[in-house]
Coordinates of all heavy atoms in Angstrom, one line a residue:
Q12 N -9.8 11.4 1.7 CA -8.8 10.5 2.3 C -9.3 9.0 2.1 O -8.5 8.1 2.0 CB -8.5 10.8 3.7 CG -7.8 12.1 3.8 CD -7.7 12.6 5.3 OE1 -8.5 12.2 6.1 NE2 -6.7 13.5 5.6
N13 N -10.6 8.8 2.3 CA -11.1 7.4 2.1 C -10.9 6.9 0.7 O -10.6 5.7 0.5 CB -12.6 7.4 2.5 CG -12.8 7.4 4.0 OD1 -12.0 6.8 4.8 ND2 -13.9 8.0 4.5
E14 N -11.0 7.8 -0.3 CA -10.8 7.4 -1.7 C -9.3 7.1 -1.9 O -8.9 6.1 -2.5 CB -11.2 8.5 -2.6 CG -12.7 8.7 -2.7 CD -13.1 9.9 -3.6 OE1 -12.2 10.5 -4.2 OE2 -14.3 10.2 -3.7
Q15 N -8.4 7.9 -1.3 CA -7.0 7.6 -1.4 C -6.6 6.3 -0.7 O -5.8 5.6 -1.2 CB -6.2 8.8 -0.7 CG -6.3 10.1 -1.5 CD -5.6 11.2 -0.7 OE1 -5.2 11.1 0.4 NE2 -5.5 12.4 -1.4
L16 N -7.3 6.1 0.4 CA -7.0 4.8 1.2 C -7.4 3.6 0.3 O -6.7 2.6 0.3 CB -7.8 4.8 2.5 CG -7.6 3.6 3.3 CD1 -6.2 3.4 3.8 CD2 -8.5 3.7 4.6
S17 N -8.5 3.7 -0.4 CA -9.0 2.6 -1.2 C -8.0 2.4 -2.3 O -7.7 1.2 -2.7 CB -10.4 3.0 -1.8 OG -10.8 1.9 -2.7
V18 N -7.4 3.4 -2.9 CA -6.4 3.2 -4.0 C -5.1 2.6 -3.4 O -4.6 1.6 -4.0 CB -6.1 4.6 -4.6 CG1 -4.9 4.5 -5.6 CG2 -7.3 5.2 -5.4
L19 N -4.7 3.1 -2.3 CA -3.5 2.5 -1.7 C -3.7 1.0 -1.3 O -2.7 0.2 -1.4 CB -3.1 3.3 -0.4 CG -2.5 4.7 -0.7 CD1 -2.3 5.5 0.6 CD2 -1.2 4.6 -1.5
E20 N -4.8 0.7 -0.8 CA -5.1 -0.7 -0.4 C -5.1 -1.6 -1.6 O -4.6 -2.8 -1.6 CB -6.4 -0.8 0.3 CG -6.4 -0.2 1.8 CD -7.7 -0.2 2.5 OE1 -8.7 -0.4 1.8 OE2 -7.7 -0.1 3.7
N21 N -5.5 -1.1 -2.8 CA -5.5 -1.9 -4.0 C -4.0 -2.1 -4.5 O -3.6 -3.2 -4.9 CB -6.3 -1.2 -5.1 CG -7.8 -1.3 -4.9 OD1 -8.3 -2.2 -4.2 ND2 -8.5 -0.3 -5.4
E22 N -3.2 -1.0 -4.3 CA -1.8 -1.1 -4.7 C -1.1 -2.0 -3.7 O -0.2 -2.8 -4.2 CB -1.2 0.3 -4.6 CG 0.3 0.4 -5.0 CD 0.5 0.0 -6.4 OE1 -0.4 0.1 -7.2 OE2 1.7 -0.3 -6.7
Q23 N -1.5 -2.0 -2.4 CA -0.9 -2.9 -1.5 C -1.1 -4.4 -1.8 O -0.2 -5.2 -1.8 CB -1.4 -2.6 -0.1 CG -0.8 -3.4 1.0 CD -1.6 -3.2 2.4 OE1 -2.8 -3.2 2.4 NE2 -0.8 -3.1 3.4
S24 N -2.3 -4.7 -2.2 CA -2.7 -6.0 -2.6 C -1.9 -6.5 -3.8 O -1.4 -7.6 -3.9 CB -4.2 -6.1 -2.9 OG -4.5 -7.4 -3.3
R25 N -1.7 -5.6 -4.8 CA -0.9 -5.9 -6.0 C 0.5 -6.2 -5.7 O 1.2 -7.1 -6.2 CB -1.1 -4.8 -7.0 CG -0.5 -5.1 -8.4 CD -0.7 -4.0 -9.3 NE 0.2 -2.9 -8.9 CZ 1.5 -2.7 -9.2 NH1 2.1 -3.6 -9.9 NH2 2.2 -1.7 -8.7
L26 N 1.1 -5.3 -4.8 CA 2.5 -5.5 -4.5 C 2.8 -6.7 -3.7 O 3.8 -7.4 -3.8 CB 3.0 -4.2 -3.7 CG 3.1 -2.9 -4.5 CD1 3.4 -1.8 -3.5 CD2 4.2 -3.1 -5.5
K27 N 1.8 -7.1 -2.8 CA 2.0 -8.4 -2.1 C 2.1 -9.6 -3.1 O 3.0 -10.5 -2.8 CB 0.8 -8.6 -1.2 CG 0.8 -7.8 0.1 CD -0.4 -8.1 0.9 CE -0.4 -7.3 2.2 NZ -1.6 -7.5 3.1
K28 N 1.4 -9.6 -4.1 CA 1.5 -10.7 -5.1 C 2.8 -10.6 -5.8 O 3.5 -11.7 -6.1 CB 0.3 -10.6 -6.1 CG -1.0 -10.8 -5.5 CD -2.1 -10.7 -6.5 CE -3.5 -10.9 -5.9 NZ -4.6 -10.8 -6.9
L29 N 3.3 -9.4 -6.2 CA 4.5 -9.3 -6.9 C 5.7 -9.7 -6.0 O 6.7 -10.3 -6.5 CB 4.7 -7.8 -7.4 CG 3.7 -7.4 -8.5 CD1 3.9 -5.9 -8.8 CD2 4.0 -8.2 -9.8
V30 N 5.7 -9.3 -4.8 CA 6.8 -9.6 -3.9 C 6.8 -11.1 -3.6 O 7.9 -11.7 -3.6 CB 6.6 -8.8 -2.5 CG1 7.6 -9.4 -1.5 CG2 6.9 -7.3 -2.8
A31 N 5.6 -11.7 -3.5 CA 5.6 -13.2 -3.3 C 6.1 -13.9 -4.5 O 6.8 -15.0 -4.4 CB 4.1 -13.6 -3.0
A32 N 6.0 -13.3 -5.7 CA 6.5 -13.9 -6.9 C 7.9 -13.4 -7.2 O 8.5 -13.8 -8.3 CB 5.6 -13.6 -8.1
Q33 N 8.5 -12.7 -6.3 CA 9.8 -12.1 -6.4 C 10.0 -11.3 -7.7 O 11.0 -11.2 -8.3 CB 10.9 -13.2 -6.4 CG 10.9 -14.0 -5.1 CD 12.1 -15.0 -5.0 OE1 12.7 -15.3 -6.1 NE2 12.3 -15.6 -3.9
A34 N 8.8 -10.6 -8.1 CA 8.8 -9.8 -9.3 C 9.0 -8.3 -8.9 O 9.1 -7.4 -9.8 CB 7.5 -10.0 -10.0
A35 N 8.9 -8.0 -7.6 CA 9.1 -6.6 -7.1 C 9.8 -6.6 -5.8 O 9.7 -7.6 -5.0 CB 7.7 -5.9 -7.0
P36 N 10.6 -5.5 -5.5 CA 11.3 -5.5 -4.3 C 10.4 -5.3 -3.1 O 9.3 -4.6 -3.2 CB 12.3 -4.3 -4.4 CG 11.6 -3.4 -5.5 CD 10.9 -4.4 -6.4
S37 N 10.7 -5.8 -2.0 CA 9.9 -5.7 -0.8 C 9.8 -4.3 -0.2 O 8.8 -3.9 0.5 CB 10.4 -6.6 0.3 OG 11.7 -6.3 0.7
K38 N 10.7 -3.4 -0.6 CA 10.7 -2.0 -0.2 C 9.4 -1.3 -0.7 O 8.9 -0.5 0.0 CB 12.0 -1.3 -0.6 CG 12.0 0.1 -0.1 CD 13.3 0.8 -0.6 CE 13.4 2.2 0.0 NZ 12.3 3.0 -0.3
Q39 N 9.0 -1.6 -1.9 CA 7.8 -1.0 -2.4 C 6.6 -1.3 -1.6 O 5.7 -0.5 -1.3 CB 7.6 -1.4 -3.9 CG 8.6 -0.8 -4.8 CD 8.3 -1.2 -6.3 OE1 7.4 -1.9 -6.5 NE2 9.2 -0.7 -7.2
L40 N 6.5 -2.6 -1.1 CA 5.4 -3.0 -0.3 C 5.5 -2.3 1.1 O 4.4 -1.9 1.6 CB 5.4 -4.5 -0.1 CG 4.3 -5.1 0.8 CD1 3.0 -4.8 0.2 CD2 4.5 -6.6 0.9
D41 N 6.7 -2.2 1.6 CA 6.8 -1.5 2.9 C 6.4 0.0 2.8 O 5.8 0.5 3.7 CB 8.3 -1.6 3.4 CG 8.7 -3.0 3.7 OD1 7.8 -3.8 4.0 OD2 9.9 -3.3 3.7
D42 N 6.8 0.6 1.7 CA 6.4 2.0 1.5 C 4.8 2.2 1.4 O 4.2 3.1 2.0 CB 7.0 2.6 0.2 CG 8.5 2.7 0.4 OD1 9.0 2.8 1.5 OD2 9.2 2.8 -0.6
A43 N 4.2 1.2 0.7 CA 2.8 1.2 0.6 C 2.1 1.0 2.0 O 1.1 1.7 2.3 CB 2.3 0.2 -0.4
N44 N 2.6 0.1 2.7 CA 2.1 -0.1 4.1 C 2.2 1.1 5.0 O 1.3 1.5 5.7 CB 2.8 -1.3 4.7 CG 2.5 -2.6 4.1 OD1 1.4 -2.8 3.4 ND2 3.4 -3.6 4.2
G45 N 3.3 1.8 4.9 CA 3.5 3.0 5.7 C 2.6 4.1 5.3 O 2.0 4.8 6.1
Q46 N 2.3 4.3 4.0 CA 1.4 5.3 3.5 C 0.0 5.0 4.0 O -0.8 5.9 4.4 CB 1.4 5.4 2.0 CG 2.7 5.9 1.4 CD 2.8 5.9 -0.1 OE1 1.8 5.5 -0.8 NE2 3.9 6.4 -0.7
I47 N -0.4 3.8 3.9 CA -1.8 3.4 4.4 C -1.9 3.7 5.9 O -2.9 4.2 6.3 CB -2.0 1.9 4.1 CG1 -2.1 1.7 2.6 CG2 -3.3 1.4 4.8 CD1 -2.3 0.2 2.1
S48 N -0.9 3.4 6.7 CA -1.0 3.6 8.1 C -1.1 5.1 8.4 O -1.9 5.5 9.3 CB 0.3 3.0 8.8 OG 0.2 3.3 10.1
I49 N -0.3 5.9 7.7 CA -0.4 7.4 7.9 C -1.8 7.9 7.5 O -2.4 8.7 8.2 CB 0.7 8.1 7.2 CG1 2.1 7.7 7.7 CG2 0.5 9.6 7.2 CD1 3.3 8.2 6.9
L50 N -2.3 7.4 6.4 CA -3.6 7.9 5.9 C -4.7 7.5 6.9 O -5.6 8.3 7.1 CB -3.8 7.4 4.5 CG -5.0 8.0 3.7 CD1 -4.8 9.5 3.6 CD2 -5.1 7.4 2.4
K51 N -4.6 6.4 7.5 CA -5.7 5.9 8.4 C -5.7 6.8 9.7 O -6.7 7.2 10.2 CB -5.5 4.5 8.8 CG -5.9 3.5 7.7 CD -5.8 2.1 8.2 CE -6.3 1.1 7.1 NZ -6.1 -0.3 7.6
K52 N -4.4 7.2 10.1 CA -4.3 8.0 11.3 C -4.9 9.4 11.0 O -5.6 10.1 11.8 CB -2.9 8.1 11.7 CG -2.3 6.8 12.3 CD -0.9 7.0 12.7 CE -0.3 5.7 13.3 NZ 1.1 5.8 13.6
Q53 N -4.7 9.9 9.8 CA -5.2 11.2 9.4 C -6.7 11.2 9.3 O -7.4 12.2 9.8 CB -4.6 11.6 8.0 CG -3.2 12.0 8.0 CD -2.6 12.3 6.6 OE1 -3.3 12.0 5.7 NE2 -1.4 12.8 6.6
I54 N -7.3 10.1 8.8 CA -8.7 10.0 8.8 C -9.3 10.0 10.2 O -10.3 10.6 10.5 CB -9.1 8.7 8.0 CG1 -8.8 8.8 6.5 CG2 -10.6 8.4 8.2 CD1 -9.0 7.6 5.7

């Protein structure tokens, strides 16, 4: 789970940049944030 969390956090950082540049919808960033929160609770 810690390895999965590391991957999701990298994806979260990438999506933040894309959303800020209006190159990706904000929904993808919200989904990534939700997955990270659920994974941390599982850990």
Side-chain angles (χ1 to χ4, degrees):
Q12 290 170 341
N13 283 327
E14 291 178 2
Q15 294 175 352
L16 179 62
S17 178
V18 172
L19 288 175
E20 286 176 344
N21 290 333
E22 181 65 17
Q23 181 189 46
S24 178
R25 187 181 68 83
L26 288 174
K27 284 182 178 179
K28 293 178 180 179
L29 292 175
V30 170
Q33 297 183 353
S37 59
K38 183 178 182 305
Q39 292 183 356
L40 179 60
D41 293 338
D42 292 340
N44 290 337
Q46 291 176 0
I47 291 175
S48 177
I49 292 172
L50 192 58
K51 286 183 177 179
K52 291 178 180 179
Q53 290 176 347
I54 292 174

